[in-house]
Amino acid sequence: QVQLVESGGGLVQAGDSLRLSCAASRRPFSSAAMGWFRQSPGKEREFVAAINWNGAITNYASSVRGRFTISSDNAKNTVYLQMNSLKPEDTAVYYCATGAYFLSMNNVDYPVWGQGTQVTVSL
């Protein structure tokens, strides 16, 4: 089974930028979408962004649209999440996931998950 490893999290100030990476151990299912989700303490895991297998189609949560950009490098089996204009409410553990056959916003549609990377945004 493909394994996903996230990196790039950290502690930043409001207004700063971060780029998260999600490296897959091998190419996921040929038509599988890749997604980013996040979870804050006491809250449910929520959808952030998704990209289809060839990188041509993307989907974003309304809370991040215009600030975050998802992209992929298929040659490296890696998906990125560029996060700009970060806000304290973006603080969460960010997870990447794959296996969905469409740009689902529902975490139950993604069977494969990484371990997560912490993003903390201070005032």
Side-chain angles (χ1 to χ4, degrees):
Q1 178 171 309
V2 63
Q3 294 181 330
L4 304 176
V5 179
E6 302 97 332
S7 61
L11 172 63
V12 297
Q13 293 185 326
D16 285 350
S17 299
L18 273 178
R19 189 178 80 158
L20 305 183
S21 300
C22 173
S25 57
R26 60 173 177 79
R27 176 71 180 276
F29 311 113
S30 61
S31 58
M34 298 286 291
W36 283 98
F37 290 77
R38 65 187 183 186
Q39 189 168 20
S40 304
K43 295 185 178 181
E44 294 187 353
R45 192 167 297 187
E46 65 172 353
F47 172 78
V48 176
I51 190 167
N52 76 322
W53 67 275
N54 64 5
I57 305 173
T58 58
N59 189 21
Y60 295 94
S62 58
S63 59
V64 305
R65 187 175 292 116
R67 298 189 298 123
F68 291 10
T69 302
I70 188 170
S71 62
S72 64
D73 184 337
N74 286 346
K76 296 181 179 180
N77 293 334
T78 300
V79 174
Y80 304 97
L81 185 67
Q82 178 67 43
M83 306 185 295
N84 298 329
S85 302
L86 283 162
K87 305 175 181 180
E89 50 263 44
D90 294 319
T91 295
V93 177
Y94 283 71
Y95 300 88
C96 69
T98 190
Y101 284 91
F102 48 94
L103 299 184
S104 174
M105 301 173 69
N106 193 335
N107 57 13
V108 300
D109 292 321
Y110 294 82
V112 181
W113 291 80
Q115 83 290 347
T117 185
Q118 176 71 47
V119 172
T120 303
V121 185
S122 64
L123 288 171

